[in-house]
Amino acid sequence: MAQALGISGTYQAIRGANGPAQHIAVSLVGLTYCGMFAGMVPDAIIGAWAGSSLLVLLATVWFKKIWLKRALLLDFVLSFTVLTFYFLHDHSAPSGPVYHVMTAHGMEAGSRGQSSMSMLDMFSHGLACAMMALWSLYLANLVQRQLLEAQRFEVAFEGEVLK
Amino acid sequence: MNMDMDMLTPILIALIGAGGLWQLLSLKAKQGHEALMRDRS
């Protein structure tokens, strides 16, 4: 019967989990999340993030490992950029027309059809983007270590190419 | 596209932060690899 991994076993499993499933997952989650930041981050940056996520998917299936590492690095830089744009974005600023209305208490400003983000909403958006940045960084580092390992074994077996 | 400071600041922060993090992890991976290569020889 399979035993539980425990903390150490889980850590080791995560450290070495470098299968294509992870690369495809990071790509699909990136493609899903990028739309959440529309209106807070320039469209060009969001488009570039979606493009880099798609590139990770293509690189996983068709490209060499070195290109997969580069695609993951690009994805990391772009998700990090989205994160900084998100944190520097003024969340209290209205994104639509502001109406000035005379009330019993004097002039007041209001906007229609816009609900401001709650703290929980902001926290979840920030966490989602930070998770994406760290995930792609971790995967790029795993691919780099895998490439170095392959190089080491190639030297060990005197240039014999390992399958 | 009009590139002003509001646009450049997050990009610069991201590039410096991402570059620094990657350099750190990359250096660690290379050092580990070199240590393994030395052990073998």
Side-chain angles (χ1 to χ4, degrees):
Chain A
M1 198 168 128
Q3 286 187 336
L5 290 171
I7 292 174
S8 171
T10 308
Y11 172 71
Q12 289 303 327
I14 292 171
R15 214 176 124 81
N18 199 22
Q22 278 227 70
H23 304 136
I24 291 171
V26 80
S27 161
L28 294 180
V29 176
L31 280 169
T32 313
Y33 280 8
C34 62
M36 290 193 327
F37 299 92
M40 296 175 236
V41 176
D43 290 345
I45 303 283
I46 292 179
W49 189 21
S52 73
S53 293
L54 193 64
L55 195 64
V56 170
L57 185 70
L58 297 176
T60 306
V61 184
W62 286 292
F63 298 170
K64 285 181 176 173
K65 285 268 182 214
I66 186 77
W67 285 103
L68 174 63
K69 188 188 90 174
R70 285 169 186 163
L72 283 164
L73 268 179
L74 181 67
D75 194 56
F76 162 58
V77 172
L78 286 165
S79 46
F80 203 118
T81 310
V82 169
L83 186 68
T84 50
F85 266 104
Y86 178 71
F87 279 122
L88 294 175
H89 172 75
D90 184 5
H91 298 279
S92 60
S95 55
V98 177
Y99 300 93
H100 292 273
V101 187
M102 177 61 85
T103 67
H105 308 291
M107 284 294 273
E108 281 187 14
S111 53
R112 274 188 191 162
Q114 293 172 46
S115 54
S116 59
M117 287 178 91
S118 69
M119 280 303 286
L120 191 64
D121 201 359
M122 279 172 61
F123 176 76
S124 292
H125 273 75
L127 191 66
C129 198
M131 187 196 80
M132 289 310 296
L134 290 176
W135 194 6
S136 46
L137 174 67
Y138 151 76
L139 287 178
N141 185 247
L142 269 181
V143 175
Q144 189 195 21
R145 284 195 280 126
Q146 206 177 35
L147 285 167
L148 289 171
E149 275 293 284
Q151 202 181 319
R152 188 163 72 89
F153 280 112
E154 219 168 286
V155 171
F157 290 96
E158 292 168 358
E160 204 176 300
V161 179
L162 298 174
K163 301 280 177 195
Chain B
M1 192 194 298
N2 185 22
M3 288 279 275
D4 54 8
M5 279 312 285
D6 288 347
M7 185 88 175
L8 273 176
T9 311
I11 293 174
L12 281 177
I13 293 172
L15 285 177
I16 294 166
L21 268 172
W22 174 249
Q23 283 300 318
L24 185 78
L25 287 178
S26 178
L27 186 71
K28 224 181 137 188
K30 279 178 189 161
Q31 281 174 346
H33 169 69
E34 278 164 15
L36 285 169
M37 293 290 271
R38 266 199 305 274
D39 283 353
R40 200 186 57 84
S41 56

